[in-house]
Amino acid sequence: MQIKVKGELSLPQIRQALFEKLCEVEERFAVRYSLDATLYIRPTNGFGDDVSPRYPNGEAVKKLYSTGPYRPSTEEYDL
């Protein structure tokens, strides 16, 4: 399944649009789990020009990895 968000938007707007679509997928189509998810973004400067985020050493940021949301220690240890 693919979800596309069109147009140049701020990250909070993209976050909200994705949240709304994921809620729709969950409620309308009864999807409760997904094995993986990949999000591609094209960073811009707000005027439609592409920009390249960089690490402090100047290397371009190409991929970021996540192992899921933060899990509080109370959840980790069933407290």
Side-chain angles (χ1 to χ4, degrees):
M1 175 181 287
Q2 188 178 68
I3 297 172
K4 284 189 173 187
V5 180
K6 293 186 175 190
E8 184 174 28
L9 303 169
S10 68
L11 288 182
Q13 290 172 318
I14 293 171
R15 181 173 44 243
Q16 183 64 34
L18 288 171
F19 176 77
E20 290 171 6
K21 278 297 162 192
L22 289 172
C23 286
E24 180 183 347
V25 167
E26 188 176 23
E27 293 167 11
R28 185 172 176 193
F29 303 107
V31 173
R32 298 292 181 256
Y33 300 93
S34 175
L35 187 58
D36 291 312
T38 302
L39 173 66
Y40 293 90
I41 62 171
R42 286 182 52 203
T44 65
N45 62 1
F47 296 103
D49 302 321
D50 291 337
V51 297
S52 255
R54 299 192 175 275
Y55 290 109
N57 67 1
E59 181 184 353
V61 177
K62 296 190 189 285
K63 289 184 181 180
L64 296 174
Y65 296 94
S66 172
T67 56
Y70 169 77
R71 291 186 54 184
S73 58
T74 53
E75 191 178 298
E76 186 82 22
Y77 297 105
D78 294 323
L79 298 177

